[in-house]
Amino acid sequence: MYRESSEVTVSGVPLYQQVKQAVLAALAEGEWKQGEALPSEKVLSNRFQVSIGTLRKAIDELAADTILVRHQGRGTFVAIHNRNEHFFKFFRVVGKNGIKSYPVMEFVDFTRRKANAEEKEKLQLVDTVDVYEFAARQTLDGNKALVEWICLPAALFPDLSLERLRSRKSTLYNFYQSDFGINVIDVDERVRVGTAERSAEWLALQPESPVLQIRRIAFSYNTQPVEWRISVLNTENYEYLGKESV
Amino acid sequence: MYRESSEVTVSGVPLYQQVKQAVLAALAEGEWKQGEALPSEKVLSNRFQVSIGTLRKAIDELAADTILVRHQGRGTFVAIHNRNEHFFKFFRVVGKNGIKSYPVMEFVDFTRRKANAEEKEKLQLVDTVDVYEFAARQTLDGNKALVEWICLPAALFPDLSLERLRSRKSTLYNFYQSDFGINVIDVDERVRVGTAERSAEWLALQPESPVLQIRRIAFSYNTQPVEWRISVLNTENYEYLGKESV
DNA sequence: AAGTGGTCTAGACCACTAC
DNA sequence: TAGTGGTCTAGACCACTTA
């Protein structure tokens, strides 16, 4: 920035990319905090000595990356996406009418024990170490439609307890992040038909009733598995959203 | 397009969006085919009577949608989605061992009849028009694991016949494209538990046996629905791949 | 050398928001 | 009414591809 017009050619990096990096650097330094407004486009274009168009292209990309949010007539703000909606994107259960509703969770059956063979495989555990397991019973629109059996490596979640799960704020994955520094950034999900079994009572089904079984591995950075869960869905009123068209 | 400068304000739709829709319309009409080059930006901006910058913004979005591909110094091309691997990406059935194997298809039960209520809804048909329906029995690694019941609007697939289906080369979606000019670019899929019923015999199950039911709408440009299919999967040896981690 | 897309400018007018 | 982002223009020069 603050360059001669030739510097762009010399460095080989497009000006708008340099502007983007400069904005990211200012964000990293804490010049503007989450939720705060940035200076106007005119002020920023003057500060970085680029045209409005170039400044806008940089901001466009930051908005596309959901780092900034723009509101016509109000200004450009630092996005707040440490909260629910960001992690909610992994929730792929939808009503047959197409409506995605927010689940109410209730945690039960909390245990700590040795990992079994499948858990060792899915979580890539080398030795037979401890895991936490618990059930998250979920109610959607008042319907008891979903139970998730969640298995976590004890080493990654020190001193996890049922009380901490129940007293958490916001989503489960947000809780992983705020209390254990674990960021879930991707999941692998496979779906098959199963039987209700230990989930039957909550779902008001027979143990041998067919249900949708969604088997998920959640990954942190470097595709390290941090959670293994089996979700059991009664598809009488709900469906699994395999792929949503754009 | 070919508008007075005031028309943009009147319609309320941004010019570049109008340009984008006009390009999509030309694509849908087959003005430029897959792999072909579009006219240069200068020619297009002149044709649509917009500035280069506005034209570029429209093309930018189409490139982001992977409908067009731009090559600096060469031109802008209609993205080639006709290779098998591209259509194969919509095939989300995978062995429990994680291996994705190529299906062998066999077409049966070909009929032409009036659309029923659900077909009308899914295919966005306004009147009660004709549809073709047929079953694609699929064998994976020698296992009869999957039957797909496919429903197509007759108007979009003139003179479709069982013989043409059977004598096609490559994938079904490639056949839609080469023989009917229909490009499937996106799908919406929802999954529930169902019963085998009319698919039972082929899957070697009882009619009341639980199976995975995958309900797909396939879309062409402008999110026009062009195919409605219900896939019936025996999940004894196979699973539905909901989300694959990157 | 000619033609393409990639970047960039220096404005303009508009719709929307806040005061 | 003033300030913001959203859209749009009519050029310019650049890097890259092809011939």
Side-chain angles (χ1 to χ4, degrees), chain B residues 105-116:
Chain B
M105 293 177 104
E106 174 189 328
F107 295 97
V108 294
D109 297 341
F110 185 91
T111 61
R112 177 179 177 136
R113 54 170 172 73
K114 299 291 178 198
N116 65 33

Side-chain angles (χ1 to χ4, degrees), chain A residues 4-25:
Chain A
E4 301 292 324
S5 62
S6 62
E7 284 186 29
V8 175
T9 309
V10 171
S11 73
V13 179
L15 242 191
Y16 73 90
Q17 287 289 356
Q18 297 179 35
V19 173
K20 182 180 176 183
Q21 292 307 316
V23 173
L24 281 171

Side-chain angles (χ1 to χ4, degrees), chain B:
Chain B
M1 238 53 56
Y2 311 103
R3 85 277 174 262
E4 302 291 326
S5 60
S6 61
E7 286 187 28
V8 176
T9 308
V10 171
S11 72
V13 179
L15 242 191
Y16 73 90
Q17 286 290 354
Q18 296 180 36
V19 173
K20 182 180 177 183
Q21 292 307 315
V23 173
L24 281 171
L27 282 167
E29 279 180 23
E31 180 167 349
W32 312 296
K33 307 210 184 314
Q34 304 244 345
E36 284 185 11
L38 269 66
S40 75
E41 298 185 338
K42 180 172 282 191
V43 171
L44 285 176
S45 67
N46 186 54
R47 163 166 165 179
F48 295 127
Q49 289 291 297
V50 298
S51 73
I52 289 271
T54 301
L55 188 276
R56 278 189 66 82
K57 187 153 186 178
I59 301 294
D60 276 346
E61 291 211 353
L62 291 165
D65 296 341
T66 69
I67 289 169
L68 300 179
V69 178
R70 299 206 278 197
H71 296 287
Q72 185 175 2
R74 295 210 288 137
T76 303
F77 301 82
V78 184
I80 298 182
H81 294 151
N82 59 0
R83 296 206 198 107
N84 287 353
E85 77 244 24
H86 180 257
F87 289 124
F88 198 50
K89 81 178 180 188
F90 293 127
F91 187 71
R92 299 165 78 84
V93 171
V94 65
K96 286 189 177 174
N97 53 16
I99 296 176
K100 208 170 176 179
S101 54
Y102 203 86
V104 177
M105 293 177 104
E106 174 189 328
F107 295 97
V108 294
D109 297 341
F110 185 91
T111 61
R112 177 179 177 136
R113 54 170 172 73
K114 299 291 178 198
N116 65 33
E118 181 173 50
E119 290 158 359
K120 280 180 64 177
E121 179 208 337
K122 301 299 183 186
L123 293 170
Q124 292 174 29
L125 303 173
V126 281
D127 296 318
T128 302
V129 296
D130 273 16
V131 292
Y132 290 110
E133 190 198 40
F134 54 92
R137 293 173 172 171
Q138 308 206 20
T139 307
L140 299 107
D141 309 311
N143 300 308
K144 297 174 177 177
L146 177 66
V147 178
E148 311 199 282
W149 296 88
I150 299 175
C151 179
L152 305 173
L156 293 178
F157 294 85
D159 301 319
L160 181 65
S161 68
L162 191 52
E163 289 65 38
R164 292 178 73 185
L165 282 169
R166 287 178 172 163
S167 63
R168 89 201 181 287
K169 313 294 181 192
S170 71
T171 69
L172 190 56
Y173 284 173
N174 198 7
F175 169 71
Y176 292 176
Q177 181 180 81
S178 59
D179 279 40
F180 302 98
I182 289 178
N183 302 282
V184 172
I185 59 170
D186 201 8
V187 298
D188 182 299
E189 286 190 341
R190 285 141 204 266
V191 182
R192 60 175 74 163
V193 173
T195 47
E197 297 173 19
R198 59 180 177 176
S199 309
E201 192 181 357
W202 170 258
L203 298 174
L205 295 172
Q206 298 302 311
E208 66 276 14
S209 295
V211 291
L212 210 62
Q213 193 183 85
I214 305 152
R215 304 159 70 82
R216 172 194 292 183
I217 306 170
F219 296 95
S220 181
Y221 300 114
N222 297 320
T223 64
Q224 188 201 354
V226 294
E227 180 205 65
W228 159 241
R229 73 164 72 182
I230 297 181
S231 302
V232 177
L233 176 67
N234 179 346
T235 61
E236 188 186 341
N237 297 307
Y238 295 90
E239 294 178 309
Y240 174 78
L241 184 58
K243 174 149 185 3
E244 199 168 9
S245 66
V246 287

Side-chain angles (χ1 to χ4, degrees), chain A residues 3 8 14-16 51 54 57 72-74:
Chain A
R3 85 275 175 257
V8 175
L15 242 191
Y16 73 90
S51 73
T54 301
K57 186 153 184 176
Q72 186 174 359
R74 294 210 289 136

